[in-house]
Amino acid sequence: PTPPRSNLPDPGPGDALDTSPDAATERLTQVAESLLGDASRVALADVLGSDWPSARRVLADLTTLDLRPELPYRLTWSGGLTIDPEREPAWLSHGYLERAR
């Protein structure tokens, strides 16, 4: 069962969330442009830091961005995989963020 919820009103962060139809598209575009800069292609290994929780968030945003055909960005993956037990995560799949148009 789910935990009990309070009956008190909660004006929490949901009120600050931009729910306009274009808000998600604008945020994803900002993420892509901040990673690409002036380049048309960037290796994910170069833009994902060693902070795994932050890297997961960026990968989630980039996956969402790739699934939006109206946006001009794509993820491409190579067949290679690098293993390094000293890193977090210990594996690296070689991929790129690219401008599609």
Side-chain angles (χ1 to χ4, degrees):
T2 60
R5 296 181 188 241
S6 170
N7 291 331
L8 299 173
D10 181 11
D15 292 342
L17 183 63
D18 185 355
T19 58
S20 65
D22 296 329
T25 301
E26 289 173 15
R27 190 182 71 74
L28 291 171
T29 299
Q30 288 173 352
V31 168
E33 289 299 325
S34 71
L35 295 175
L36 284 166
D38 293 332
S40 61
R41 182 181 192 201
V42 64
L44 294 180
D46 294 340
V47 297
L48 299 177
S50 60
D51 176 25
W52 179 232
S54 296
R56 287 186 311 185
R57 179 75 247 154
V58 171
L59 285 172
D61 285 343
L62 294 179
T63 301
T64 301
L65 186 127
D66 183 56
L67 294 172
R68 308 277 303 257
E70 71 274 14
L71 296 177
Y73 309 101
R74 295 296 162 254
L75 289 177
T76 58
W77 300 98
S78 71
L81 186 67
T82 302
I83 306 295
D84 183 356
E86 303 299 318
R87 286 189 50 142
E88 172 81 21
W91 53 268
L92 177 62
S93 177
H94 301 281
Y96 298 88
L97 171 64
E98 302 175 334
R99 281 193 180 89
R101 299 180 221 167

